Amino acid sequence: MTDATTRFFDDLDQQGYQPLLAKVSGALRFDLHEGPQTMHWLVRIDRGNIQVSREDMEADTVIGTSPALFDDLVTGHENGLTALLRGDMTVTGDARLVVQMERIFAGPPDARGPQRYRKGMQ
Amino acid sequence: MPPSHTVRILDGNNFVVCEATGDIEATPTEPTGLFSIDTRFLSKWVLTVNGERLNSLSYDDLQYYESRFFLVPGLATHYVDAKLSIIRERAVGKSFREHITILNHDEKAVDLDIRMDAGCDFADLFEVKDEILNKKGEIYSEVEPDRLRLGYRRGNFRRETIISSSEPARFDRNGFAYSIHLEPNEQWDTAIDVQTMALSPSGRDLRLGLRVHGAERLNLQQDLEEWIAKAPKVNSEHEELAATYRKCIVDLAALRFAPLSLGGQNIPAAGLPWFMTMFGRDSILTCLQTLPFTPELSATTLRILGALQGTRFDDFREEDPGRILHEMRYGESAAFEEQPHSPYYGSVDATPLFVVLLDEYEQWSGDVALVKELEQECRRAFRWIDDYADLVGNGYIWYERRNTESGLENQCWKDSWDSISYRDGTLPPFPRATCEVQGYAYDAKMRGARLAREFWDDPAYADQLEREAAALKERFNRDWWVEDGGYYALALDRDGRQCDVLSSNIGHLLWSGIVDDDRAEQIADHLVGPRLFTGWGVRTLAEGEVRYNPIGYHNGTVWPFDSSFCAWGLRRYGFSEEAAVIASGILDAAWYFDGRLPEAFGGYPREQTKFPVEYPTACSPQAWSTGAPLLLLRTMLGLEPHEGHLAVAPRLPIGMGRIEVLDIPGRWGRVDAFARGRLDLNSVGG
């Protein structure tokens, strides 16, 4: 069920550097709550250099969601800001970190993107 | 003063729109209320004394965030029983506070029942002009001994209004009441506090958990005084001009908006009341207008828009990598994706204008660090311009919405559905390309080349951008020139056919520098000629076009912001007298609106109406209308940063008299500019 989440963090850790986060430094902790259980992911960013661990440690920003919603967020089926406004995702601490982090989540998988006009095709 | 009986006060995106009595009774035609984060938190707020509504003797807007109402019981008749006065003083800040004072002027003691009816429909800002019939969530009202809680719940989405009173009140589900006894000449006071809450499932406000960076505006009065003190001073023989300037500086203070998720940094919101949020285009153009006066707005605007630059494809939000956002909203319709504003990216001009602002800001401020900080954002913006925006593959920026439900059809500043047409009045198919956006792209590349050469240490990229800009200018002058009119077409359709109407957009082309020198004079003549110029400003669409209508939103009204960029463009090409004609028209109009220009006013000829006719639903204050007098001042005084200094080359009409602008901030520290009206404008225009 959290395959997508695990894959996302594993990829992030292996990348080691994410240019979209080049101006970002700080630690984010993702608390994925399911019943009595909470899974933790800790992402430390130092000017784009990224380390991921499963530690439950203090962080500048703490994000709380269900594991299912987080799967949807990282795969682009859900959007971070709307989840926050709906109350389905909670954020405490430095909001700028989550705004930056959210930008590296995938876009909607069915997005077509800009379409070139070709004469006679429309 | 424009005819209006609604009173508005605000702080950021917390604001109140109410009747002249201070009451709120929201209807679709009178969308009053207390609003915060794009949600209505009070739709009913009606004060009665012994069951009677109150009558307004007067009200004052003390500051943009506070107002005071003087009231007496009973409705307006020829006789007003003034044995009792009621004063309501209110302010918005983090919460909405109202102080009620009741004075007994009678020689007898009185017993009074004071009641406030309170209620809320929790409408999304996008619903307030419609009948609200089927909210998807549940509205509730909970009475506690010392407070009334009005709420709305839809899944985990919860918004609450919490009302409490300094004097003990009897709360019920529909409001609260006091029974008081007043001796002769006695007064009674109560302070009411209204909190607006956006609650997460844990019961915390989702804004409270967010750490705020930078100084919070705790003391609004002190903050406003500091803001005014920091801005340059304008003295003028014409007191009207100095008064307009001061009004603009205060309105800019009111329009500052700190986005929810970006830590207390301020950028200009687009306008009160319905546009108190971040708009890419409006925020950037306002920053360009106000750079000589309030440069700090530009740095934060660039940082925030850069931080939210698109990174992926999203058809609902019309996001692409490198695209600068159009509009951000926090209401229920954004939260549940009934509207795409989370954020919405459907604009094609914000992206090139982002680079234009960065370059202009550096020329004024010398803030090289920010130019280096935003290098990648600029490069991504250029990739968007070249790849994703060129929907026809011929080197122009085009648009065609991908969100066909709630996206914008016209993604340029004239964004109403019928703003782009051929001369016969018909509307072109999509994709469309409008002319001013090609000018912005040209300017962005020329300016980007300077940044690459001087600050990014990439002369090859600078050369490339300059080559692309030159090719664009050549192409543009070939494809868009309307031979039989002597101007540039408003737009091209996808097959290259011109939307060959005469429009104000040609003024933006002068500002961008894309106009061939030998054609500039024809453009200048049109801008101050009888088809476009009303005597007050430049019509969005020329008189004589099929769709021309003096009160057509983008088809004939005058937009002060639009005229201010036309004036700047004229000055750029050396038409300083024509620029001064437009500047004095708009500044004259400003005085009819008490120094506060509306978004738009009617395109009637000046000699016909004698005063500028306000567009029916225009927003006011509107950020880029507020910026217009500032840009016009800059234009008339010829303020230009030049090799690290501020050059001043005034070209003022005779009637303007003497103007001095003191303490203009920039890389030179602070310098003063002086000017005297010497231009005789009678020889220009017509």
Side-chain angles (χ1 to χ4, degrees):
Chain A
M1 172 172 171
T2 60
D3 280 359
T5 298
T6 307
R7 207 159 42 239
F8 170 77
F9 284 119
D10 284 350
D11 287 352
L12 198 60
D13 194 39
Q14 273 167 26
Q15 272 175 22
Y17 180 77
Q18 167 52 257
L20 285 170
L21 301 177
K23 285 196 272 284
V24 178
S25 292
L28 299 95
R29 197 181 74 228
F30 296 87
D31 291 351
L32 310 183
H33 311 286
E34 185 148 62
Q37 272 198 324
T38 299
M39 282 172 286
H40 304 284
W41 294 90
L42 186 76
V43 177
R44 287 197 190 85
I45 309 171
D46 177 11
R47 301 196 68 76
N49 295 298
I50 297 175
Q51 278 185 309
V52 181
S53 69
R54 305 293 305 261
E55 291 165 281
D56 178 13
M57 284 182 50
E58 247 188 74
D60 302 293
T61 308
V62 178
I63 294 112
T65 73
S66 71
L69 175 61
F70 199 74
D71 267 6
D72 286 345
L73 285 169
V74 297
T75 52
H77 292 92
E78 282 282 354
N79 172 276
L81 181 68
T82 59
L84 175 67
L85 291 174
R86 283 198 308 274
D88 293 340
M89 178 173 91
T90 60
V91 178
T92 49
D94 187 344
R96 289 181 302 179
L97 285 175
V98 73
V99 170
Q100 293 304 300
M101 185 79 186
E102 203 265 342
R103 299 173 77 208
I104 67 169
F105 294 170
D110 57 351
R112 296 163 68 225
Q115 298 297 301
R116 272 277 164 96
Y117 166 70
R118 284 187 299 274
K119 219 173 169 156
M121 295 292 285
Q122 288 186 343
Chain B
M1 274 275 300
S4 166
H5 64 282
T6 52
V7 181
R8 301 146 170 188
I9 53 171
L10 81 158
D11 176 43
N13 75 351
N14 305 315
F15 62 92
V16 176
V17 182
C18 66
E19 296 162 22
T21 54
D23 283 348
I24 292 166
E25 262 189 307
T27 63
T29 47
E30 299 283 338
T32 52
L34 163 66
F35 298 89
S36 181
I37 50 169
D38 304 321
T39 305
R40 181 150 58 199
F41 280 88
L42 280 178
S43 56
K44 184 163 206 183
W45 191 249
V46 175
L47 182 64
T48 53
V49 174
N50 291 339
E52 269 192 296
R53 294 287 290 264
L54 305 174
N55 183 32
S56 172
L57 295 180
S58 73
Y59 65 82
D60 294 315
D61 295 334
L62 301 169
Q63 297 291 2
Y64 61 79
Y65 52 84
E66 59 182 4
S67 57
R68 186 160 54 196
F69 305 81
F70 293 91
L71 311 168
V72 290
L75 293 170
T77 55
H78 61 287
Y79 172 70
V80 175
D81 177 7
K83 298 230 163 111
L84 211 56
S85 2
I86 298 101
I87 304 169
R88 304 173 86 170
E89 287 174 276
R90 57 173 57 161
V92 278
K94 277 201 165 356
S95 65
F96 168 57
R97 294 176 307 283
E98 176 155 333
H99 190 109
I100 299 175
T101 303
I102 300 189
L103 299 137
N104 179 16
H105 308 302
D106 207 342
E107 63 272 17
K108 300 183 306 238
V110 286
D111 289 294
L112 302 172
D113 286 315
I114 315 294
R115 177 170 178 86
M116 186 80 84
D117 285 325
C120 189
D121 58 5
F122 291 93
D124 185 278
L125 220 56
F126 285 78
E127 301 175 312
V128 297
K129 292 183 179 172
D130 304 317
E131 218 48 77
I132 298 153
L133 297 170
N134 39 12
K135 291 287 276 184
K136 294 204 173 70
E138 168 212 357
I139 287 176
Y140 55 89
S141 171
E142 289 171 5
V143 180
E144 296 173 29
D146 59 347
R147 68 188 60 193
L148 171 61
R149 193 184 288 273
L150 305 171
Y152 177 72
R153 189 187 291 118
R154 176 174 171 190
N156 286 330
F157 182 91
R158 239 172 97 204
R159 301 292 180 261
E160 275 189 2
T161 308
I162 300 170
I163 302 163
S164 58
S165 165
S166 65
E167 289 297 301
R170 298 187 306 275
F171 288 96
D172 58 65
R173 287 166 53 86
N174 300 310
F176 52 99
Y178 312 86
S179 296
I180 62 169
H181 176 83
L182 281 183
E183 291 296 327
N185 297 315
E186 201 186 352
Q187 88 170 53
W188 175 86
D189 294 89
T190 187
I192 300 157
D193 185 67
V194 183
Q195 302 274 347
T196 61
M197 309 291 284
L199 297 169
S200 66
S202 66
R204 278 160 57 101
D205 191 295
L206 57 87
R207 293 164 295 180
L208 286 184
L210 305 179
R211 207 182 307 138
V212 172
H213 294 258
E216 250 183 273
R217 283 191 265 152
L218 290 176
N219 183 333
L220 292 171
Q221 179 64 36
Q222 187 188 342
D223 170 78
L224 177 60
E225 283 165 14
E226 282 170 13
W227 171 262
I228 294 169
K230 238 164 89 181
K233 301 284 158 298
V234 170
N235 299 313
S236 149
E237 251 171 33
H238 268 240
E239 180 45 30
E240 289 90 338
L241 180 63
T244 294
Y245 172 77
R246 284 194 297 273
K247 183 94 168 177
C248 291
I249 292 295
V250 171
D251 281 348
L252 277 175
L255 288 161
R256 286 172 300 166
F257 165 71
L260 184 58
S261 50
L262 291 154
Q265 299 181 67
N266 286 311
I267 75 170
L272 185 70
W274 311 120
F275 300 99
M276 278 313 295
T277 189
M278 166 168 40
F279 278 82
R281 172 190 307 131
D282 298 58
S283 298
I284 292 173
L285 290 175
T286 304
C287 286
L288 283 162
Q289 292 173 311
T290 58
L291 244 179
F293 305 92
T294 55
E296 61 272 36
L297 289 175
S298 292
T300 51
T301 297
L302 287 161
R303 280 213 175 85
I304 289 172
L305 293 177
L308 294 168
Q309 186 177 35
T311 55
R312 59 208 159 200
F313 297 116
D314 181 328
D315 298 338
F316 175 64
R317 293 174 184 79
E318 308 216 32
E319 178 179 354
D320 306 315
R323 196 169 192 179
I324 297 295
L325 71 85
H326 176 58
E327 178 177 1
M328 176 79 103
R329 294 286 186 177
Y330 304 122
E332 182 183 0
S333 65
F336 289 92
E337 305 195 357
E338 291 150 4
Q339 293 282 348
H341 309 118
S342 48
Y344 178 58
Y345 287 84
S347 126
V348 287
D349 46 12
T351 307
L353 287 171
F354 175 82
V355 183
V356 170
L357 176 61
L358 180 62
D359 173 73
E360 186 72 18
Y361 168 71
E362 193 285 327
Q363 293 194 42
W364 281 82
S365 66
D367 186 351
V368 173
L370 190 63
V371 175
K372 292 187 170 163
E373 186 184 320
L374 295 177
E375 176 183 345
Q376 293 308 321
E377 282 77 359
C378 290
R379 288 176 184 264
R380 284 183 210 118
F382 285 125
R383 278 198 288 278
W384 180 81
I385 289 170
D386 294 335
D387 295 343
Y388 305 131
D390 187 2
L391 298 179
V392 175
N394 59 356
Y396 297 123
I397 294 179
W398 297 84
Y399 59 82
E400 175 170 23
R401 65 177 179 172
R402 313 207 289 274
N403 175 347
T404 50
E405 294 279 314
S406 50
L408 287 170
E409 285 193 15
N410 282 319
Q411 303 193 347
C412 49
W413 88 259
K414 293 180 178 174
D415 59 3
S416 51
W417 66 276
D418 61 347
S419 63
I420 308 298
S421 62
Y422 301 110
R423 210 180 273 177
D424 66 5
T426 57
L427 306 179
F430 296 94
R432 296 173 181 169
T434 56
C435 66
E436 80 288 359
V437 180
Q438 319 312 321
Y440 302 156
Y442 169 79
D443 197 23
K445 289 196 169 176
M446 292 301 286
R447 290 168 181 266
R450 186 186 84 90
L451 300 179
R453 191 167 286 125
E454 291 188 25
F455 309 112
W456 301 336
D457 194 24
D458 193 345
Y461 189 48
D463 292 346
Q464 178 200 326
L465 288 171
E466 274 170 358
R467 275 197 308 276
E468 290 168 5
L472 170 58
K473 185 172 182 174
E474 195 188 328
R475 201 160 56 233
F476 180 82
N477 276 278
R478 181 192 65 215
D479 297 344
W480 298 64
W481 186 250
V482 179
E483 275 303 338
D484 68 354
Y487 54 82
Y488 295 92
L490 169 59
L492 287 192
D493 75 11
R494 61 197 191 187
D495 298 315
R497 189 180 150 205
Q498 294 176 342
C499 294
D500 46 358
V501 290
L502 177 60
S503 67
S504 62
N505 303 46
I506 59 174
H508 293 241
L509 295 175
L510 285 180
W511 170 56
S512 72
I514 200 171
V515 173
D516 273 346
D517 285 344
D518 59 0
R519 286 173 169 168
E521 193 173 345
Q522 292 182 75
I523 300 301
D525 288 347
H526 281 301
L527 287 171
V528 294
R531 291 189 63 206
L532 279 177
F533 188 63
T534 67
W536 302 110
V538 182
R539 293 184 181 99
T540 40
L541 186 68
E543 213 242 297
E545 298 295 352
V546 170
R547 284 192 175 266
Y548 169 73
N549 169 358
I551 47 166
Y553 197 51
H554 294 122
N555 283 326
T557 54
V558 171
W559 288 57
F561 109 84
D562 187 33
S563 291
S564 74
F565 280 88
C566 293
W568 194 4
L570 286 164
R571 190 76 216 246
R572 174 173 179 158
Y573 275 80
F575 298 96
S576 39
E577 295 181 20
E578 288 80 354
V581 165
I582 292 173
S584 38
I586 293 291
L587 290 170
D588 285 351
W591 191 238
Y592 284 86
F593 297 109
D594 242 3
R596 178 183 284 170
L597 285 161
E599 174 182 55
F601 53 84
Y604 306 101
R606 183 171 179 167
E607 61 270 24
Q608 184 185 332
T609 59
K610 307 296 182 202
F611 61 91
V613 177
E614 187 167 0
Y615 182 79
T617 62
C619 267
S620 181
Q622 174 99 350
W624 60 17
S625 293
T626 306
L630 274 52
L631 176 55
L632 293 171
L633 262 178
R634 173 189 174 169
T635 301
M636 288 192 301
L637 267 65
L639 304 178
E640 282 302 325
H642 181 67
E643 294 180 358
H645 300 283
L646 181 67
V648 183
R651 300 288 280 156
L652 294 185
I654 289 171
M656 286 273 171
R658 235 180 90 83
I659 298 178
E660 55 182 35
V661 184
L662 306 179
D663 290 326
I664 303 167
R667 59 203 306 162
W668 41 80
R670 282 182 178 265
V671 301
D672 304 335
F674 302 92
R676 261 178 58 195
R678 295 170 188 279
L679 279 181
D680 180 6
L681 298 184
N682 290 330
S683 57
V684 180

